[in-house]
Amino acid sequence: MPIGFAHSPYRATSEIPKGCGAKHDAEGVIEILPEFAAGLADIEGFSHIFLIWEFDRSDGYELFGKPPIDDQPHGVFATRSPRRPNPIALTVVELLRREGPRLHVRGMDMLEGTPILDIKPYLSSVPEEKLRRGWIAEAEARRK
Amino acid sequence: MPIGFAHSPYRATSEIPKGCGAKHDAEGVIEILPEFAAGLADIEGFSHIFLIWEFDRSDGYELFGKPPIDDQPHGVFATRSPRRPNPIALTVVELLRREGPRLHVRGMDMLEGTPILDIKPYLSSVPEEKLRRGWIAEAEARRK
């Protein structure tokens, strides 16, 4: 059940930046349906939010496959592929401002009209020095 | 559709640490169903993963309500309340090791038997100095 929809500059998946070092600084608007808008109270105090959304234009899934940024196949749960058993997506965006039921955000990576399932506040980060990024770091290193 | 289930030390919500400064360092196991286990390939290269799971023992939702850590009500999308329009939860855990379809993790905050919907690699953090944490920071400051 969507709580709202994304208004994004992207109309086709081919337009969305992908791969190592892809910048996601596109701005857009998350418009929450009137019946859920009361749930946004106080969200403007957060600089960043999680958007949980549906890969609504993805079809089926592949457990082991080659992502666009590597020439090696990887398990789907080690990637952000849209072709997952449950087509649920997660994006961290910067919350620029709120106008009633409309959240202006930066960091869109979803298509125009994408159904939004949930919004959560982003509360804390894992320190960079504690992160290991597996095959992604290896693929980046190979490209340098 | 669950891809697996959580094995957690927590049997009741009252046992789960909540509120400001709550430490989530409980260890547990995420057991992926045999038919999805191939999707875990290469996940062991990541130090941290996102678990997307279902609040399967939550009933209904409340758009505006008082969280346990504050005496002020807030919109549900500015909280981590389980009583949300779509009862989807998100947890960042540290991946300690993998044994076949079983992921040993630290940072459990879900109940024993919780259905897991998706797993994604944790790739990057928002720098702490760029984070604003709205009412949560205010509630913490009031308690000091």
Side-chain angles (χ1 to χ4, degrees):
Chain A
M1 171 183 67
I3 60 164
F5 293 89
H7 298 300
S8 159
Y10 302 124
R11 307 271 156 167
T13 53
S14 59
E15 299 169 10
I16 302 175
K18 288 181 193 68
C20 303
K23 286 267 188 239
H24 292 290
D25 50 14
E27 295 186 14
V29 171
I30 306 300
E31 181 149 17
I32 301 303
L33 295 169
E35 61 266 40
F36 298 119
L40 293 174
D42 301 327
I43 200 158
E44 54 274 15
F46 295 90
S47 60
H48 294 76
I49 53 178
F50 288 110
L51 302 177
I52 296 178
W53 48 280
E54 186 187 342
F55 286 116
D56 65 324
R57 277 153 277 187
S58 176
D59 196 25
Y61 66 88
E62 189 177 40
L63 290 177
F64 190 70
K66 207 176 70 53
I69 69 166
D70 200 1
D71 50 8
Q72 304 292 320
H74 302 285
V76 68
F77 302 123
T79 77
R80 300 172 68 89
S81 166
R83 305 193 59 231
R84 340 181 48 83
N86 289 304
I88 300 174
L90 174 68
T91 303
V92 175
V93 294
E94 184 181 354
L95 179 55
L96 301 173
R97 66 185 186 280
R98 172 179 162 210
E99 288 171 0
R102 294 163 60 89
L103 303 178
H104 292 256
V105 303
R106 181 184 290 134
M108 302 286 282
D109 63 354
M110 70 285 283
L111 294 170
E112 166 62 24
T114 290
I116 307 295
L117 301 176
D118 200 7
I119 296 174
K120 298 179 191 291
Y122 184 106
L123 299 181
S124 66
S125 291
V126 177
E128 286 287 339
E129 67 272 17
K130 291 196 179 169
L131 278 189
R132 278 187 302 113
R133 302 186 307 126
W135 71 264
I136 304 242
E138 291 166 20
E140 283 175 0
R142 273 200 300 276
R143 296 196 169 205
K144 275 176 188 161
Chain B
M1 169 183 69
I3 60 163
F5 293 90
H7 298 300
S8 159
Y10 302 123
R11 308 271 158 170
T13 53
S14 59
E15 300 169 10
I16 302 176
K18 287 183 193 64
C20 303
K23 286 267 189 238
H24 292 292
D25 50 13
E27 295 187 15
V29 171
I30 306 300
E31 180 149 17
I32 301 304
L33 296 169
E35 59 267 40
F36 298 118
L40 293 174
D42 301 327
I43 201 159
E44 55 273 15
F46 295 89
S47 59
H48 294 77
I49 53 179
F50 288 110
L51 301 178
I52 296 179
W53 47 280
E54 187 186 343
F55 286 116
D56 64 324
R57 277 154 278 188
S58 176
D59 198 22
Y61 66 89
E62 189 176 39
L63 290 177
F64 191 70
K66 209 176 67 57
I69 68 168
D70 201 359
D71 50 9
Q72 304 293 319
H74 303 285
V76 68
F77 302 124
T79 77
R80 300 173 66 91
S81 166
R83 303 192 61 231
R84 339 181 49 84
N86 289 305
I88 301 175
L90 176 67
T91 304
V92 175
V93 294
E94 184 182 353
L95 178 55
L96 301 173
R97 65 186 187 280
R98 173 178 161 210
E99 289 172 358
R102 295 164 59 88
L103 303 178
H104 292 257
V105 302
R106 179 184 292 134
M108 301 288 281
D109 62 355
M110 69 286 284
L111 293 170
E112 166 62 23
T114 290
I116 306 295
L117 301 176
D118 200 7
I119 296 174
K120 297 180 192 292
Y122 184 104
L123 299 182
S124 66
S125 292
V126 177
E128 286 287 339
E129 67 272 18
K130 292 197 177 167
L131 279 187
R132 277 187 302 112
R133 302 185 307 126
W135 71 265
I136 303 241
E138 291 166 21
E140 284 176 359
R142 274 201 299 277
R143 296 197 169 205
K144 274 176 189 161

